[in-house]
Amino acid sequence: IASEADAIAHLQKQFAIWGSWTTAVTSNDLQVITFMPDGTFILAHDDDPLVAGGVDGMEGGTYRWNATTNELTYTVAVNTDGTGGLSHLSASQTPPYTFVIDPTGSTAVFHFGPNVSNQIVFTRVIDANNLLVGAWKVPVFGYGLFPVLTFLPDGTFTVATDQTDSDPAGMERGTYVYDATTGNVTFTTTVDTN
């Protein structure tokens, strides 16, 4: 029988992937992927215009992550970002894929092939001093996937959503200013595909 401390550590490791993860924030490219506790994921992708086949958009689907082996399997159900994101992998990018979280829990490497070029480094979206930072899921309205609004620590935000009754699937990216005293948030949207 495992000790209480070992059992707690094992349980916490199962949850380690939950939340939002981002690639390096640049003015030309940004990916924010959010893994939900219910086994679904959503990705907002502001693609670099110089990358062939990439389009600003979103992806969403289901995933399974093995906290012991780090193996990540997923199925993309909605894709509006062209050949970017997790879809349209090349012939050399073969399973098993792994999502390896470093011991601090702050960064992860997504390996989707045997070569060093077949990996993406992600940083967890979190800020201990600002509880607004992170992913916020809008309640499902009975259709589509799940709108997810993610506040990054540097003042950038993304929204990713599947198609709703009146809006197409897509993403938004921009900047926000948060007034912690009043709770007011001001948004400036620079990319909008939904």
Side-chain angles (χ1 to χ4, degrees), residues 64-194:
R64 289 186 61 125
W65 182 66
N66 184 315
T68 303
T69 65
N70 297 308
E71 184 173 353
L72 177 68
T73 57
Y74 62 88
T75 301
V76 177
V78 181
N79 174 16
T80 70
D81 70 343
T83 59
L86 304 180
S87 61
H88 299 91
L89 298 177
S90 72
S92 69
Q93 297 167 336
T94 56
Y97 308 130
T98 57
F99 194 85
V100 182
I101 302 171
D102 80 335
T104 68
S106 60
T107 62
V109 179
F110 177 39
H111 300 271
F112 51 97
N115 303 318
V116 175
S117 62
N118 292 332
Q119 67 183 31
I120 301 173
V121 176
F122 286 94
T123 302
R124 185 181 296 278
V125 178
I126 193 169
D127 185 339
N129 298 316
N130 184 350
L131 297 181
L132 180 71
V133 170
W136 297 87
K137 178 181 172 183
V138 177
V140 177
F141 304 109
Y143 47 81
L145 275 170
F146 26 76
V148 172
L149 169 62
T150 303
F151 294 98
L152 278 62
D154 70 347
T156 302
F157 79 89
T158 63
V159 175
T161 185
D162 189 7
Q163 181 174 354
T164 65
D165 285 344
S166 57
D167 299 313
M171 60 81 66
E172 295 180 23
R173 177 188 181 177
T175 57
Y176 70 93
V177 176
Y178 174 57
D179 184 330
T181 303
T182 65
N184 291 334
V185 183
T186 304
F187 295 93
T188 302
T189 303
T190 56
V191 178
D192 181 358
T193 70
N194 68 342

